[in-house]
Amino acid sequence: MTSEVSFKKYELPPLPYKVDALEPYISSGIIDVHYNGHHKGYVNGANTTMDKLEKILKGEAAGYDMQGVLKNLTFNTNGHKLHSIYWYNMAPAGKGGGKPGGKLADLINSQYGGFDKFKVIFTEAQKSLPGTGWTALYYDTESKNLMLMTIENHFNNHFAELPIVLIVDEFEHAYYLQYKNNRNAYLDAWWNLVNWDDADKRLSKYL
Ligand code: MN
């Protein structure tokens, strides 16, 4: 068996709807730049950083800062993976929103005192996020809790192997073209797009 230095690379997953499918809540201009620009950039950035790691392993890197390389890898890999959840967590306008069903609804009801209370606290978490990042709902496979998480930039506090069920992107690139500095208006509109079936499927894999 030969020894090789080779990392498998990421690919940009398909957008599960057309760029204008989320209008009027999120404009086609935003989705185009966000998906084809930003998300693709994170995929490329992760792959480029893996190329760099391969060069380091082969002794072909002239000079490098290992912590810088790993920070790039973390930023771009998380950027790719978090966006991959974000797109599929939304459904075309008219097909998303409403309330969750299935086991997700059961857990929200038994833990958060019902969907309305959950929506209030998840909204509070979203709207109080300082600067750039994400707000997520994840399932703790140890405690069996559905739990809120805040993610600064792409450097998540994502405890190993805990699956994210629902996530919202709060980077300015996710709303600025349409909502300018009114992030709260974007966050209010986002609820109309939530694909609860997708969130419930993500959760169900771990129950
Ligand atoms: Mn983004």
Side-chain angles (χ1 to χ4, degrees), residues 34 38-39 42 79 83 86-87 134 154 169-174:
H34 198 172
H38 292 275
H39 189 168
Y42 302 134
H83 283 88
Y86 174 69
W87 303 128
W134 307 68
H154 291 171
D169 190 341
E170 300 192 41
F171 277 57
E172 286 185 349
H173 66 226

Side-chain angles (χ1 to χ4, degrees), residues 62-80:
Y64 57 88
D65 162 18
M66 179 53 81
Q67 288 305 315
V69 171
L70 292 184
K71 197 167 184 182
N72 270 335
L73 187 65
T74 307
F75 174 80
N76 286 294
T77 302
N78 278 339
H80 162 50

